[in-house]
Amino acid sequence: MLPIGFSKMRTLRKLHLSIDERANYTMLAWLLKHFTQLSSFTLYCPSCPALLDILDSLPHNSLQELELGIIELTDAQLQHCIPKLGTFSNLKVLQISHEKFDNMEIMTSFGSVLRELRNLEVLHLPHGKGTEAVVESLITACQTLQGLRSLRIHSCLNDENLVRIAKATLEGSFIKLRELLLDWNICTTDRGWWEFFNTLGSLKELEKLSVSMPLEHLLKPSSSTVIAFVRAISQLPRVRHIIVAGWLLDQMDLDMFNAMKKKHPQSQNMILTSKICVNPHILVDD
């Protein structure tokens, strides 16, 4: 934990912390009150009983980046923290994709909170049953964020929600996106991805697209879905990195992609990531 003397660094602008449950979070909240010019704050920890106090201590006018990671929130914390997020009026980066929000009733207010964060450029949404229940309203709220450059919605989409995002691009939404990360959405099907890629508008600024699936839910796309995928990529003039890890692409699929790649404006820079990285566990017999 930071020493008390750290409070004298009143011009501190960035603070990234990774701490454990033994930390003195009340002391952290007290320290944060001294950093009135703080623009970027990251907190990774397993639990944070004083999270509301910490959010209260952050400078609401100067804070531009907020990232929370692996924090187990109680319903009471969630109920108070969601409205609090809306008070950071100049926030440009909100990354809470590691959080699991399960309470459906509490999450109904999250969409209106997002609408208040008009300056957001990076939004990585949480997962959980609560997010799944309101994801349609969250997508609608995201459409109001005109400056959005990076959007991650993971582990909570079904086919209907997936296609809703694609249709939004046809309506003129998400035109400034550089990253669209729709990974680990295990409730989506081959049919949903076929319709998604057939519907997706031309996102002229998009540089990175992730549609990866976890190892436990591999997806074998039909030939028609692969055709739709390749055609959609061909219409994204700046895309350089496409992640389809967890998609079971055969050699014919890859040949079709590579043929398109040769004619693409980013042919020299385009990367297709199709393999899942697995960390091996070595078992040693006694």
Side-chain angles (χ1 to χ4, degrees), residues 239-241 261 265-271:
V239 70
R240 297 182 178 183
H241 192 190
K261 178 181 175 181
Q266 301 298 329
S267 59
Q268 301 300 315
N269 304 306
M270 187 180 291
I271 299 173

Side-chain angles (χ1 to χ4, degrees), residues 96-101 107 110 124-128 131 154 156:
I96 50 176
S97 60
H98 296 291
E99 314 315 315
K100 187 177 183 181
F101 290 3
M107 282 296 292
F110 194 35
H124 293 185
L125 290 169
H127 62 104
T131 306
H154 74 106
C156 61

Side-chain angles (χ1 to χ4, degrees), residues 136 139 157-165 167 187-188 192 195:
E136 186 173 348
I139 293 171
L157 294 174
N158 57 27
D159 286 349
E160 184 178 352
N161 308 142
L162 186 66
V163 176
R164 178 73 186 88
I165 294 173
K167 289 181 178 178
C187 291
T188 56
E195 190 170 355

Side-chain angles (χ1 to χ4, degrees), residues 48-102:
C48 186
L51 182 60
L52 186 59
D53 292 334
I54 288 174
L55 292 178
D56 276 333
S57 299
L58 292 171
H60 289 225
N61 292 326
S62 66
L63 195 71
Q64 296 183 5
E65 300 178 6
L66 177 61
E67 180 177 357
L68 303 176
I70 325 177
I71 300 178
E72 294 184 8
L73 300 178
T74 65
D75 285 349
Q77 284 181 311
L78 191 60
Q79 185 173 10
H80 290 93
C81 287
I82 287 180
K84 189 65 63 177
L85 292 175
T87 64
F88 296 103
S89 56
N90 292 314
L91 205 62
K92 293 184 178 180
V93 176
L94 178 59
Q95 297 187 1
I96 50 176
S97 60
H98 296 291
E99 314 315 315
K100 187 177 183 181
F101 290 3
D102 278 334

Side-chain angles (χ1 to χ4, degrees), residues 54-221:
I54 288 174
L55 292 178
D56 276 333
S57 299
L58 292 171
H60 289 225
N61 292 326
S62 66
L63 195 71
Q64 296 183 5
E65 300 178 6
L66 177 61
E67 180 177 357
L68 303 176
I70 325 177
I71 300 178
E72 294 184 8
L73 300 178
T74 65
D75 285 349
Q77 284 181 311
L78 191 60
Q79 185 173 10
H80 290 93
C81 287
I82 287 180
K84 189 65 63 177
L85 292 175
T87 64
F88 296 103
S89 56
N90 292 314
L91 205 62
K92 293 184 178 180
V93 176
L94 178 59
Q95 297 187 1
I96 50 176
S97 60
H98 296 291
E99 314 315 315
K100 187 177 183 181
F101 290 3
D102 278 334
N103 191 300
M104 292 179 281
E105 294 182 4
I106 296 174
M107 282 296 292
T108 54
S109 64
F110 194 35
S112 59
V113 169
L114 288 180
R115 288 184 176 87
E116 297 175 18
L117 301 176
R118 298 183 181 89
N119 296 313
L120 273 184
E121 296 179 5
V122 176
L123 176 59
H124 293 185
L125 290 169
H127 62 104
K129 295 179 180 178
T131 306
E132 290 178 27
V134 300
V135 68
E136 186 173 348
S137 67
L138 296 183
I139 293 171
T140 301
C142 289
Q143 290 182 251
T144 67
L145 304 175
Q146 299 299 319
L148 208 57
R149 297 182 182 275
S150 177
L151 175 63
R152 185 184 186 198
I153 307 178
H154 74 106
S155 308
C156 61
L157 294 174
N158 57 27
D159 286 349
E160 184 178 352
N161 308 142
L162 186 66
V163 176
R164 178 73 186 88
I165 294 173
K167 289 181 178 178
T169 65
L170 295 178
E171 298 166 1
S173 299
F174 307 131
I175 58 174
K176 293 185 178 181
L177 276 185
R178 294 181 181 176
E179 292 186 340
L180 180 57
L181 313 175
L182 306 176
D183 45 332
W184 288 46
N185 288 296
I186 62 175
C187 291
T188 56
T189 67
D190 175 71
R191 175 70 185 183
W193 287 109
W194 174 84
E195 190 170 355
F196 172 81
F197 286 119
N198 269 316
T199 308
L200 190 66
S202 180
L203 299 175
K204 296 182 179 180
E205 302 294 323
L206 197 68
E207 298 176 359
K208 181 178 181 179
L209 174 66
S210 176
V211 296
S212 61
M213 300 291 279
L215 186 62
E216 300 81 6
H217 294 273
L218 302 178
L219 176 69
K220 174 55 183 174

